[in-house]
Amino acid sequence: MAHFKKKQSGTSQEIPTTSMPDIIFILLIFFMVVTVLREVELLVRQDLTDAENIERIEEKRLVSYIYVGPQVVAPGVYGDTRVQVDDALVDPNDFRAIQNVMRQRRTDEPRLIVSLRVDYESEMGIVSDIKQELRLADALRINYSTRRAEGATEL
Amino acid sequence: MLKKKRPREGAEIPSSSLADIAFLLLVFFLVVTTIDVDTGIGLVLPPPPDPEQPPPEVRERNMLTILMNAQGAILINEERASVQDVQDRVFRHVTNNGENPNLSESPQQAVVSIKTDRQTEYERFVEMLDEVIGAYRSIWSTEARQLGYRDYLQYRTVEGEPNPIRRQFPMNISLAEPDPGS
């Protein structure tokens, strides 16, 4: 009669934990790289409208933002509509600064997308003026930044 | 008096807490990170006007003119309309294929022109632009369904972009410079 021997696995039952710090370090480095600690300090109100037929911009590093909205004078107190690029407000009588900045960025990154983050109460005149400057700067890909409306489909 | 040398203590840095330190840092970055993507309506502006080259002529029947004034009232081809009408009007204009003599000759030639006043609120404008783009998307989805897809979104994941539907129904939106208004 055949003799059966109970099979015994040679491996130990414990999960090896020696490589745990390495795994955690890799995760840590990933999050450190992904994190953007400082976004610009907003000097204008950003109450965006929502829209249904929107698309999302996956390549975040191609995007430059132009902020438009009433200037925040004090918390809850708003002044005239102003334009902000990076950390500074643009002189309302001279939008050529936008053109110069964006032309430089367009040279550095030809696939530049300019995202217009416009407060819902702003008027179309100021938006149009910015668009004219962008055309002259040859930064033609733009995005009207909106929030996602309920039931929206993203392409 | 000579002191007897003591045996040295271990010179290694204790590394048992390394994992904990890394964990703490990891948790910090996990909390701080916001992976948010920008959403919005993407368009491509026309290049700056060339004084030597006049803008391309568009026949009147191919142009669907949408005007919006500072109060948000809308005129489509000089008739009063509301925002809810926009999507249907654009749909019919683009998919006319020469049937109605007042609407476009073909989807490739159809142009939707949007013009506002300088005083028009941005919110109103985006609302309408949204409707126009919605019309194009429903055209694309109708086409995709005829090809046996669920909608345009599914078609696009298969065909990529640019694709035959986009070429057949190009989104020709012209944003005219706003009127100075009153």
Side-chain angles (χ1 to χ4, degrees), chain A residues 24 27-28 31-32 34-35 37 49 51-57 60 65 115 117-120 122-125 127-129 131-132 134-136 140-146 153-155, chain B residues 19 22-23 25-26 29-30 32-33 35-49 116-123 125-126 129-130 133-134 137 152-153 156 175 177-178:
Chain A
I24 292 163
L27 277 171
L28 176 61
F31 278 100
M32 282 177 78
V34 164
T35 307
L37 276 182
T49 57
E52 279 177 20
N53 300 291
I54 52 175
E55 42 198 289
R56 51 169 64 211
I57 307 172
K60 216 181 169 186
Y65 295 101
S115 186
R117 297 180 72 88
V118 185
D119 188 85
Y120 76 105
S122 308
E123 292 179 351
M124 283 307 290
V127 178
S128 170
D129 292 343
K131 267 168 33 187
Q132 293 307 323
L134 291 177
R135 283 175 74 184
L136 293 171
L140 301 179
R141 281 180 79 184
I142 61 160
N143 174 56
Y144 293 107
S145 197
T146 60
T153 44
E154 281 168 21
L155 271 192
Chain B
F23 248 130
L25 280 169
L26 176 62
F29 279 100
L30 264 170
V32 163
T33 307
I35 310 177
D36 64 334
V37 280
D38 199 18
T39 54
I41 297 170
L43 287 176
V44 180
L45 298 173
T116 63
D117 278 354
R118 281 189 75 88
Q119 280 79 27
T120 305
E121 266 186 34
Y122 181 73
E123 192 182 18
F125 166 74
V126 167
L129 189 59
D130 194 19
I133 289 169
R137 287 199 180 172
Y152 177 70
L153 207 65
R156 198 186 63 163
L175 301 176
E177 226 174 299

Coordinates of all heavy atoms in Angstrom, one line a residue, chain A residues 24 27-28 31-32 34-35 37 49 51-57 60 65 115 117-120 122-125 127-129 131-132 134-136 140-146 153-155, chain B residues 19 22-23 25-26 29-30 32-33 35-49 116-123 125-126 129-130 133-134 137 152-153 156 175 177-178:
Chain A
I24 N 7.1 52.1 0.6 CA 6.5 53.4 1.1 C 7.3 54.6 0.6 O 6.7 55.6 0.2 CB 6.5 53.4 2.7 CG1 5.5 52.4 3.2 CG2 6.2 54.8 3.2 CD1 5.7 52.0 4.6
L27 N 6.1 55.3 -2.9 CA 4.8 56.0 -2.9 C 5.0 57.5 -2.5 O 4.5 58.4 -3.0 CB 3.9 55.3 -1.9 CG 3.1 54.1 -2.3 CD1 2.4 53.5 -1.2 CD2 2.1 54.6 -3.4
L28 N 5.9 57.7 -1.5 CA 6.2 59.0 -1.0 C 6.7 59.9 -2.1 O 6.3 61.0 -2.3 CB 7.2 58.9 0.2 CG 7.6 60.2 0.8 CD1 6.5 60.9 1.4 CD2 8.7 59.9 1.8
F31 N 4.0 60.9 -4.6 CA 3.1 62.0 -4.1 C 3.9 63.3 -4.0 O 3.3 64.4 -4.3 CB 2.5 61.6 -2.8 CG 1.3 60.8 -3.0 CD1 1.3 59.4 -2.8 CD2 0.1 61.3 -3.4 CE1 0.2 58.6 -3.0 CE2 -1.0 60.5 -3.7 CZ -0.9 59.2 -3.5
M32 N 5.2 63.2 -3.6 CA 6.0 64.5 -3.6 C 6.1 65.1 -4.9 O 6.0 66.3 -5.1 CB 7.4 64.2 -3.0 CG 7.4 64.1 -1.5 SD 9.0 63.7 -1.0 CE 9.8 65.3 -1.0
V34 N 4.0 64.7 -7.5 CA 2.7 65.1 -8.0 C 2.1 66.3 -7.3 O 1.5 67.2 -8.0 CB 1.7 63.9 -7.9 CG1 0.2 64.4 -8.0 CG2 2.0 62.8 -8.9
T35 N 2.5 66.5 -6.1 CA 1.9 67.6 -5.3 C 2.3 69.0 -5.8 O 3.5 69.2 -6.1 CB 2.3 67.5 -3.8 OG1 2.0 66.2 -3.4 CG2 1.6 68.5 -3.0
L37 N 2.3 72.4 -4.3 CA 2.0 73.0 -3.0 C 1.4 74.4 -3.1 O 0.4 74.8 -2.5 CB 3.2 73.1 -2.1 CG 3.5 71.8 -1.3 CD1 4.8 72.0 -0.5 CD2 2.4 71.4 -0.5
T49 N -19.1 79.6 -13.9 CA -20.4 79.1 -14.3 C -20.2 77.6 -14.5 O -19.1 77.1 -14.6 CB -20.9 79.7 -15.5 OG1 -19.9 79.5 -16.6 CG2 -21.1 81.2 -15.4
A51 N -21.4 74.2 -17.0 CA -21.8 73.9 -18.4 C -21.9 72.4 -18.5 O -21.3 71.6 -17.7 CB -20.8 74.4 -19.4
E52 N -22.7 71.9 -19.4 CA -22.9 70.5 -19.6 C -21.9 69.8 -20.6 O -21.5 68.7 -20.3 CB -24.3 70.2 -20.0 CG -25.3 70.2 -18.9 CD -26.8 70.1 -19.3 OE1 -27.0 69.5 -20.4 OE2 -27.6 70.4 -18.6
N53 N -21.7 70.5 -21.7 CA -20.9 69.9 -22.7 C -19.5 70.3 -22.6 O -19.0 71.1 -23.4 CB -21.5 70.2 -24.1 CG -22.9 69.8 -24.2 OD1 -23.2 68.6 -24.3 ND2 -23.9 70.7 -24.2
I54 N -18.8 69.7 -21.6 CA -17.4 70.2 -21.3 C -16.4 69.1 -21.7 O -16.8 67.9 -22.0 CB -17.3 70.5 -19.8 CG1 -17.8 69.3 -19.0 CG2 -18.1 71.8 -19.5 CD1 -17.6 69.5 -17.5
E55 N -15.2 69.4 -21.7 CA -14.1 68.5 -21.8 C -13.1 68.7 -20.7 O -13.1 69.8 -20.1 CB -13.5 68.5 -23.2 CG -13.2 69.9 -23.7 CD -13.0 69.9 -25.2 OE1 -12.0 69.4 -25.6 OE2 -13.9 70.4 -26.0
R56 N -12.3 67.7 -20.4 CA -11.3 67.9 -19.4 C -9.9 68.0 -20.0 O -9.7 67.3 -21.0 CB -11.4 66.8 -18.4 CG -11.4 65.4 -18.9 CD -11.2 64.4 -17.9 NE -12.3 64.3 -16.9 CZ -12.2 64.0 -15.7 NH1 -11.0 63.7 -15.2 NH2 -13.2 64.0 -14.9
I57 N -9.1 68.8 -19.4 CA -7.7 68.9 -19.9 C -6.9 68.0 -19.1 O -6.7 68.2 -17.9 CB -7.2 70.4 -19.8 CG1 -8.2 71.3 -20.5 CG2 -5.9 70.5 -20.4 CD1 -7.9 72.7 -20.2
K60 N -2.0 68.8 -17.6 CA -2.1 70.1 -16.8 C -0.9 71.0 -17.0 O -1.0 72.2 -16.9 CB -2.1 69.7 -15.3 CG -3.0 70.6 -14.5 CD -3.0 70.2 -13.1 CE -3.7 71.3 -12.3 NZ -3.6 71.0 -10.9
Y65 N -3.1 79.9 -17.0 CA -4.4 80.4 -16.5 C -4.4 81.9 -16.6 O -3.4 82.6 -16.4 CB -4.7 80.0 -15.1 CG -4.9 78.5 -14.9 CD1 -3.9 77.7 -14.4 CD2 -6.1 77.9 -15.3 CE1 -4.0 76.4 -14.2 CE2 -6.3 76.6 -15.1 CZ -5.2 75.8 -14.6 OH -5.4 74.5 -14.4
S115 N -6.2 78.7 -20.4 CA -7.5 78.5 -19.7 C -8.0 79.8 -19.2 O -7.4 80.4 -18.3 CB -7.4 77.5 -18.7 OG -8.7 77.1 -18.2
R117 N -10.3 81.6 -16.8 CA -11.1 81.3 -15.7 C -11.8 82.6 -15.4 O -11.3 83.5 -14.8 CB -10.3 80.8 -14.5 CG -9.6 79.5 -14.8 CD -8.8 79.0 -13.6 NE -9.7 78.6 -12.5 CZ -10.1 77.3 -12.4 NH1 -9.8 76.4 -13.3 NH2 -10.8 77.0 -11.3
V118 N -13.1 82.7 -15.9 CA -13.8 84.0 -15.8 C -15.0 83.9 -14.8 O -15.7 82.9 -14.9 CB -14.3 84.3 -17.2 CG1 -15.0 85.7 -17.2 CG2 -13.2 84.3 -18.2
D119 N -15.1 84.8 -14.0 CA -16.2 84.9 -13.0 C -17.5 85.1 -13.8 O -17.5 85.8 -14.8 CB -15.9 86.1 -12.1 CG -16.9 86.1 -11.0 OD1 -16.7 85.4 -10.0 OD2 -18.0 86.8 -11.1
Y120 N -18.6 84.5 -13.3 CA -19.8 84.5 -14.1 C -20.4 85.9 -14.3 O -21.1 86.1 -15.3 CB -20.9 83.6 -13.3 CG -21.5 84.2 -12.1 CD1 -22.8 84.7 -12.2 CD2 -20.8 84.4 -10.9 CE1 -23.4 85.3 -11.1 CE2 -21.4 85.0 -9.8 CZ -22.7 85.4 -9.9 OH -23.3 86.0 -8.9
S122 N -18.7 88.6 -15.0 CA -17.9 89.5 -15.9 C -18.6 89.7 -17.2 O -19.5 89.0 -17.6 CB -16.6 88.8 -16.2 OG -16.0 88.5 -15.0
E123 N -18.2 90.8 -17.9 CA -18.9 91.1 -19.2 C -18.0 90.6 -20.3 O -16.8 90.4 -20.2 CB -19.0 92.7 -19.3 CG -20.0 93.2 -18.3 CD -20.2 94.7 -18.3 OE1 -19.4 95.3 -19.0 OE2 -21.1 95.2 -17.6
M124 N -18.7 90.4 -21.5 CA -18.0 89.8 -22.6 C -16.9 90.7 -23.2 O -16.0 90.3 -23.9 CB -19.0 89.5 -23.7 CG -19.8 88.2 -23.4 SD -18.7 86.8 -23.0 CE -18.0 86.5 -24.6
G125 N -17.1 92.1 -23.0 CA -16.1 93.0 -23.5 C -14.7 92.7 -23.1 O -13.8 92.6 -23.9
V127 N -13.5 89.9 -21.9 CA -13.1 88.6 -22.4 C -12.7 88.7 -23.8 O -11.7 88.1 -24.2 CB -14.3 87.6 -22.3 CG1 -13.9 86.2 -22.8 CG2 -14.7 87.4 -20.8
S128 N -13.4 89.5 -24.6 CA -13.0 89.7 -26.0 C -11.7 90.3 -26.1 O -10.9 90.0 -27.0 CB -14.1 90.5 -26.7 OG -13.7 90.8 -28.0
D129 N -11.4 91.3 -25.3 CA -10.1 92.0 -25.4 C -9.0 91.1 -25.1 O -8.0 91.1 -25.8 CB -10.1 93.2 -24.3 CG -11.1 94.3 -24.7 OD1 -11.5 94.3 -25.9 OD2 -11.4 95.1 -23.8
K131 N -9.1 87.9 -25.6 CA -9.0 87.0 -26.8 C -8.2 87.6 -27.9 O -7.4 86.9 -28.6 CB -10.4 86.5 -27.2 CG -10.8 85.3 -26.6 CD -12.3 84.9 -26.7 CE -12.9 85.3 -28.0 NZ -14.4 85.1 -27.9
Q132 N -8.4 88.9 -28.1 CA -7.7 89.6 -29.2 C -6.2 89.6 -28.9 O -5.4 89.3 -29.8 CB -8.2 91.0 -29.4 CG -9.6 91.2 -29.9 CD -9.9 90.4 -31.1 OE1 -9.0 90.3 -32.0 NE2 -11.0 89.8 -31.2
L134 N -4.6 87.3 -27.2 CA -4.2 85.9 -27.4 C -4.0 85.6 -28.9 O -3.1 84.9 -29.2 CB -5.1 84.9 -26.7 CG -5.2 85.0 -25.2 CD1 -6.3 84.0 -24.7 CD2 -3.9 84.6 -24.6
R135 N -4.9 86.1 -29.7 CA -4.7 85.9 -31.1 C -3.4 86.5 -31.6 O -2.7 85.9 -32.4 CB -5.9 86.5 -31.9 CG -7.2 85.7 -31.8 CD -8.3 86.5 -32.5 NE -8.2 86.4 -33.9 CZ -9.1 87.1 -34.7 NH1 -10.0 87.7 -34.2 NH2 -8.9 87.0 -36.0
L136 N -3.1 87.7 -31.1 CA -1.9 88.4 -31.6 C -0.7 87.7 -31.0 O 0.4 87.7 -31.7 CB -1.9 89.9 -31.1 CG -3.0 90.7 -31.8 CD1 -3.0 92.1 -31.1 CD2 -2.7 90.9 -33.3
L140 N -3.5 80.2 -29.6 CA -4.8 80.1 -30.1 C -5.7 79.0 -29.4 O -6.9 79.0 -29.5 CB -4.8 79.7 -31.6 CG -4.1 80.8 -32.5 CD1 -4.0 80.4 -33.9 CD2 -4.7 82.2 -32.3
R141 N -5.1 78.1 -28.8 CA -5.9 77.1 -28.1 C -6.3 77.6 -26.7 O -5.5 77.9 -25.9 CB -5.0 75.8 -27.8 CG -4.9 74.9 -29.0 CD -4.1 73.7 -28.7 NE -4.8 72.7 -28.0 CZ -4.3 71.6 -27.5 NH1 -3.0 71.4 -27.6 NH2 -5.0 70.7 -26.9
I142 N -7.6 77.8 -26.6 CA -8.1 78.3 -25.3 C -9.2 77.4 -24.7 O -9.6 76.4 -25.4 CB -8.7 79.7 -25.5 CG1 -9.9 79.7 -26.4 CG2 -7.7 80.7 -25.9 CD1 -10.9 80.9 -26.3
N143 N -9.5 77.6 -23.5 CA -10.5 76.9 -22.8 C -11.3 77.8 -21.9 O -10.7 78.5 -21.1 CB -9.7 75.8 -21.9 CG -10.7 75.0 -21.0 OD1 -11.6 74.4 -21.5 ND2 -10.4 75.1 -19.7
Y144 N -12.6 77.8 -22.1 CA -13.4 78.6 -21.2 C -13.7 77.7 -20.0 O -14.5 76.7 -20.1 CB -14.8 78.9 -21.9 CG -14.7 79.9 -23.0 CD1 -14.9 79.5 -24.3 CD2 -14.4 81.2 -22.8 CE1 -14.8 80.3 -25.4 CE2 -14.4 82.1 -23.9 CZ -14.5 81.7 -25.1 OH -14.5 82.5 -26.2
S145 N -13.0 78.0 -18.9 CA -13.1 77.1 -17.8 C -14.5 77.2 -17.1 O -15.0 78.3 -16.8 CB -12.0 77.5 -16.7 OG -11.9 76.5 -15.8
T146 N -15.1 76.1 -16.9 CA -16.4 76.0 -16.3 C -16.4 74.9 -15.3 O -15.6 74.0 -15.4 CB -17.6 75.7 -17.3 OG1 -17.3 74.5 -17.9 CG2 -17.7 76.8 -18.3
T153 N -21.8 65.6 -19.6 CA -21.0 64.6 -20.3 C -19.7 65.2 -20.6 O -19.6 66.2 -21.3 CB -21.7 64.0 -21.6 OG1 -22.2 65.2 -22.3 CG2 -22.8 63.1 -21.2
E154 N -18.6 64.5 -20.3 CA -17.3 65.0 -20.6 C -16.8 64.2 -21.8 O -16.9 63.0 -21.9 CB -16.4 64.8 -19.4 CG -16.6 65.8 -18.3 CD -15.9 65.4 -17.0 OE1 -15.0 64.6 -17.0 OE2 -16.3 65.9 -16.0
L155 N -16.2 65.0 -22.7 CA -15.5 64.3 -23.8 C -14.0 64.3 -23.6 O -13.5 65.2 -23.1 CB -15.9 65.0 -25.1 CG -17.1 64.6 -25.8 CD1 -17.1 65.2 -27.2 CD2 -17.2 63.1 -26.0
Chain B
A19 N 10.5 53.4 8.6 CA 9.2 53.1 7.9 C 8.2 54.1 8.5 O 7.3 54.6 7.7 CB 8.8 51.7 8.1
A22 N 8.7 57.6 7.1 CA 8.3 57.6 5.7 C 6.7 57.6 5.6 O 6.1 58.3 4.8 CB 8.8 56.4 4.9
F23 N 6.1 56.8 6.5 CA 4.7 56.7 6.5 C 4.1 58.1 6.8 O 3.1 58.5 6.2 CB 4.2 55.7 7.6 CG 3.6 54.5 7.0 CD1 4.0 53.3 7.4 CD2 2.5 54.6 6.1 CE1 3.4 52.1 6.9 CE2 1.9 53.5 5.5 CZ 2.4 52.3 5.9
L25 N 5.4 61.1 6.4 CA 5.5 61.9 5.2 C 4.5 61.6 4.1 O 3.9 62.4 3.5 CB 7.0 61.8 4.7 CG 8.0 62.6 5.4 CD1 9.4 62.2 5.0 CD2 7.8 64.1 5.2
L26 N 4.4 60.3 3.9 CA 3.4 59.8 2.9 C 2.0 60.3 3.2 O 1.4 60.8 2.3 CB 3.5 58.3 2.9 CG 2.5 57.6 1.9 CD1 2.8 58.0 0.5 CD2 2.6 56.1 2.0
F29 N 1.7 64.0 2.4 CA 1.5 64.3 0.9 C 0.2 63.8 0.4 O -0.3 64.4 -0.5 CB 2.7 63.8 0.1 CG 3.9 64.7 0.2 CD1 5.0 64.4 1.1 CD2 4.0 65.9 -0.5 CE1 6.0 65.3 1.2 CE2 5.1 66.7 -0.4 CZ 6.1 66.4 0.5
L30 N -0.2 62.7 0.9 CA -1.5 62.2 0.5 C -2.6 63.2 0.8 O -3.5 63.4 -0.1 CB -1.9 60.9 1.2 CG -1.5 59.6 0.6 CD1 -1.7 58.5 1.6 CD2 -2.4 59.3 -0.6
V32 N -2.3 66.5 1.3 CA -2.0 67.8 0.6 C -2.4 67.7 -0.9 O -2.8 68.7 -1.4 CB -0.6 68.2 0.9 CG1 -0.2 69.3 0.0 CG2 -0.5 68.7 2.3
T33 N -2.1 66.6 -1.5 CA -2.2 66.5 -2.9 C -3.7 66.7 -3.4 O -4.6 66.1 -2.8 CB -1.8 65.1 -3.4 OG1 -0.5 64.9 -2.9 CG2 -1.8 65.0 -4.9
I35 N -5.4 66.2 -7.0 CA -5.2 65.9 -8.4 C -6.5 66.4 -9.1 O -7.3 65.6 -9.4 CB -4.9 64.4 -8.7 CG1 -3.8 64.0 -7.7 CG2 -4.5 64.2 -10.1 CD1 -3.4 62.5 -7.8
D36 N -6.6 67.7 -9.3 CA -7.8 68.1 -9.9 C -7.5 68.5 -11.4 O -6.5 69.1 -11.7 CB -8.5 69.3 -9.2 CG -7.6 70.5 -9.2 OD1 -6.4 70.4 -9.3 OD2 -8.2 71.6 -9.0
V37 N -8.4 68.2 -12.3 CA -8.2 68.6 -13.7 C -9.2 69.7 -14.0 O -10.3 69.8 -13.5 CB -8.5 67.4 -14.6 CG1 -7.3 66.4 -14.6 CG2 -9.7 66.6 -14.2
D38 N -8.7 70.5 -14.9 CA -9.5 71.7 -15.3 C -10.5 71.2 -16.3 O -10.2 70.4 -17.2 CB -8.6 72.7 -16.0 CG -9.2 74.1 -16.0 OD1 -10.1 74.3 -15.3 OD2 -8.7 74.9 -16.8
T39 N -11.7 71.6 -16.2 CA -12.8 71.3 -17.1 C -13.3 72.5 -17.7 O -13.2 73.6 -17.1 CB -14.0 70.5 -16.5 OG1 -14.4 71.3 -15.4 CG2 -13.6 69.1 -16.0
G40 N -13.8 72.4 -19.0 CA -14.3 73.6 -19.6 C -14.6 73.4 -21.1 O -14.6 72.2 -21.5
I41 N -14.9 74.4 -21.8 CA -15.2 74.4 -23.2 C -14.0 74.8 -23.9 O -13.6 75.9 -23.9 CB -16.4 75.3 -23.5 CG1 -17.7 74.8 -22.7 CG2 -16.7 75.3 -25.0 CD1 -18.8 75.7 -22.8
G42 N -13.4 73.9 -24.7 CA -12.2 74.1 -25.4 C -12.5 74.6 -26.8 O -13.3 74.0 -27.5
L43 N -11.8 75.6 -27.3 CA -12.0 76.2 -28.6 C -10.6 76.6 -29.2 O -9.7 76.8 -28.4 CB -12.9 77.4 -28.6 CG -14.4 77.2 -28.4 CD1 -15.1 78.5 -28.4 CD2 -15.0 76.3 -29.5
V44 N -10.5 76.7 -30.5 CA -9.3 77.2 -31.1 C -9.7 78.6 -31.7 O -10.6 78.7 -32.5 CB -8.8 76.2 -32.1 CG1 -7.5 76.8 -32.7 CG2 -8.5 74.9 -31.5
L45 N -8.9 79.6 -31.4 CA -9.2 80.9 -31.9 C -8.7 81.0 -33.3 O -7.7 80.3 -33.7 CB -8.5 82.0 -31.1 CG -8.9 82.1 -29.6 CD1 -7.9 83.1 -28.9 CD2 -10.3 82.6 -29.5
P46 N -9.2 81.9 -34.2 CA -8.7 82.1 -35.5 C -7.4 82.9 -35.4 O -7.2 83.6 -34.4 CB -9.8 82.8 -36.2 CG -10.5 83.5 -35.1 CD -10.4 82.7 -33.9
P47 N -6.5 82.7 -36.3 CA -5.2 83.5 -36.3 C -5.5 85.0 -36.5 O -6.6 85.3 -37.0 CB -4.4 82.9 -37.4 CG -5.3 82.1 -38.3 CD -6.5 81.7 -37.4
P48 N -4.6 85.8 -36.1 CA -4.9 87.3 -36.2 C -5.2 87.7 -37.6 O -4.7 87.1 -38.5 CB -3.6 87.9 -35.7 CG -2.6 86.8 -35.6 CD -3.3 85.6 -35.4
P49 N -6.1 88.6 -37.8 CA -6.5 89.0 -39.1 C -5.4 89.5 -40.0 O -4.5 90.3 -39.5 CB -7.6 90.1 -38.9 CG -7.3 90.6 -37.5 CD -6.8 89.4 -36.7
T116 N -22.1 88.8 -29.3 CA -22.7 89.4 -28.1 C -22.5 90.8 -28.1 O -21.7 91.4 -28.9 CB -22.1 88.7 -26.9 OG1 -20.7 89.0 -26.8 CG2 -22.3 87.2 -26.8
D117 N -23.0 91.5 -27.1 CA -22.7 92.9 -26.8 C -21.5 92.8 -25.8 O -21.2 91.8 -25.2 CB -23.9 93.6 -26.1 CG -24.9 94.1 -27.1 OD1 -24.6 94.0 -28.3 OD2 -25.9 94.6 -26.7
R118 N -20.8 94.0 -25.7 CA -19.7 94.0 -24.7 C -20.3 93.9 -23.3 O -19.5 93.5 -22.4 CB -18.9 95.3 -24.9 CG -18.0 95.3 -26.0 CD -17.1 96.5 -26.0 NE -16.1 96.4 -24.9 CZ -14.9 95.8 -25.1 NH1 -14.5 95.3 -26.3 NH2 -14.0 95.8 -24.2
Q119 N -21.5 94.3 -23.1 CA -22.1 94.2 -21.7 C -22.7 92.9 -21.4 O -23.2 92.7 -20.3 CB -23.1 95.4 -21.6 CG -22.5 96.7 -21.3 CD -22.0 97.4 -22.6 OE1 -22.5 97.1 -23.6 NE2 -21.0 98.2 -22.4
T120 N -22.8 92.0 -22.4 CA -23.4 90.7 -22.1 C -22.7 90.0 -21.0 O -21.4 90.0 -21.0 CB -23.4 89.8 -23.3 OG1 -24.0 90.5 -24.4 CG2 -24.1 88.5 -23.1
E121 N -23.4 89.4 -20.1 CA -22.8 88.7 -19.0 C -22.2 87.4 -19.5 O -22.7 86.7 -20.3 CB -23.8 88.3 -17.9 CG -23.9 89.3 -16.8 CD -24.8 88.9 -15.7 OE1 -24.8 87.7 -15.4 OE2 -25.4 89.8 -15.1
Y122 N -21.0 87.1 -18.9 CA -20.3 85.9 -19.4 C -21.1 84.6 -19.1 O -21.1 83.7 -20.0 CB -19.0 85.8 -18.5 CG -18.1 84.7 -18.9 CD1 -17.4 84.6 -20.1 CD2 -17.9 83.6 -18.0 CE1 -16.5 83.6 -20.4 CE2 -17.1 82.6 -18.3 CZ -16.4 82.5 -19.5 OH -15.6 81.5 -19.8
E123 N -21.8 84.6 -18.1 CA -22.7 83.4 -17.7 C -23.6 83.1 -18.9 O -23.8 82.0 -19.3 CB -23.4 83.7 -16.4 CG -24.0 82.4 -15.9 CD -24.8 82.7 -14.6 OE1 -25.1 83.9 -14.3 OE2 -25.1 81.8 -13.8
F125 N -23.4 84.0 -22.0 CA -22.7 83.6 -23.2 C -22.3 82.1 -23.1 O -22.5 81.3 -24.0 CB -21.4 84.5 -23.3 CG -20.4 83.9 -24.3 CD1 -20.6 84.0 -25.7 CD2 -19.2 83.3 -23.8 CE1 -19.7 83.5 -26.5 CE2 -18.3 82.8 -24.7 CZ -18.5 82.9 -26.1
V126 N -21.8 81.7 -21.9 CA -21.3 80.3 -21.8 C -22.6 79.4 -21.9 O -22.5 78.3 -22.5 CB -20.6 80.1 -20.4 CG1 -20.4 78.6 -20.1 CG2 -19.2 80.7 -20.5
L129 N -23.2 79.0 -25.6 CA -22.1 78.3 -26.2 C -22.3 76.8 -25.9 O -22.1 75.9 -26.7 CB -20.7 78.8 -25.7 CG -19.5 78.3 -26.4 CD1 -19.5 78.6 -27.9 CD2 -18.3 78.9 -25.8
D130 N -22.6 76.5 -24.7 CA -22.9 75.2 -24.2 C -24.0 74.5 -25.0 O -23.8 73.3 -25.5 CB -23.3 75.3 -22.7 CG -23.2 73.9 -22.0 OD1 -22.6 73.0 -22.5 OD2 -23.9 73.8 -21.0
I133 N -22.6 73.7 -28.6 CA -21.8 72.5 -28.6 C -22.6 71.3 -28.3 O -22.4 70.2 -28.9 CB -20.6 72.7 -27.6 CG1 -19.7 73.8 -28.1 CG2 -19.9 71.4 -27.3 CD1 -18.7 74.3 -27.2
G134 N -23.6 71.4 -27.5 CA -24.5 70.3 -27.2 C -25.2 69.8 -28.5 O -25.4 68.6 -28.7
R137 N -22.8 67.9 -30.5 CA -22.5 66.5 -29.9 C -23.7 65.6 -30.2 O -23.5 64.4 -30.4 CB -22.3 66.7 -28.4 CG -21.0 67.2 -28.1 CD -20.6 67.0 -26.7 NE -19.3 67.6 -26.4 CZ -18.7 67.6 -25.2 NH1 -19.4 67.2 -24.2 NH2 -17.5 68.1 -25.1
Y152 N -21.6 58.9 -29.3 CA -20.4 59.4 -29.8 C -19.2 59.1 -29.0 O -18.1 58.8 -29.4 CB -20.5 60.9 -30.1 CG -19.2 61.5 -30.6 CD1 -18.8 61.1 -31.9 CD2 -18.4 62.3 -29.8 CE1 -17.6 61.6 -32.4 CE2 -17.2 62.7 -30.3 CZ -16.8 62.4 -31.6 OH -15.6 62.9 -32.1
L153 N -19.4 59.1 -27.7 CA -18.3 58.8 -26.7 C -17.7 57.4 -27.0 O -16.5 57.3 -27.0 CB -18.9 58.9 -25.3 CG -17.9 59.3 -24.2 CD1 -17.4 60.7 -24.4 CD2 -18.6 59.1 -22.8
R156 N -15.9 57.4 -30.2 CA -14.6 58.0 -30.2 C -13.5 57.2 -29.5 O -12.4 57.2 -29.9 CB -14.7 59.4 -29.4 CG -13.5 60.3 -29.7 CD -13.5 61.5 -28.9 NE -13.4 61.2 -27.5 CZ -13.1 62.1 -26.5 NH1 -12.8 63.3 -26.9 NH2 -13.0 61.7 -25.3
L175 N -16.9 83.1 -33.4 CA -17.2 84.1 -32.3 C -16.8 85.5 -32.7 O -15.7 85.8 -32.8 CB -16.5 83.7 -31.0 CG -16.8 82.3 -30.5 CD1 -15.9 82.0 -29.2 CD2 -18.2 82.1 -30.1
E177 N -16.5 89.5 -32.8 CA -16.1 90.5 -31.8 C -17.4 91.2 -31.3 O -18.3 91.6 -32.1 CB -15.2 91.6 -32.5 CG -14.0 91.9 -31.6 CD -13.0 92.8 -32.3 OE1 -12.5 92.4 -33.4 OE2 -12.8 93.9 -31.8
P178 N -17.5 91.4 -30.0 CA -18.8 92.0 -29.5 C -19.0 93.4 -29.9 O -18.1 94.2 -30.2 CB -18.7 91.8 -28.0 CG -17.2 91.7 -27.7 CD -16.6 91.1 -29.0

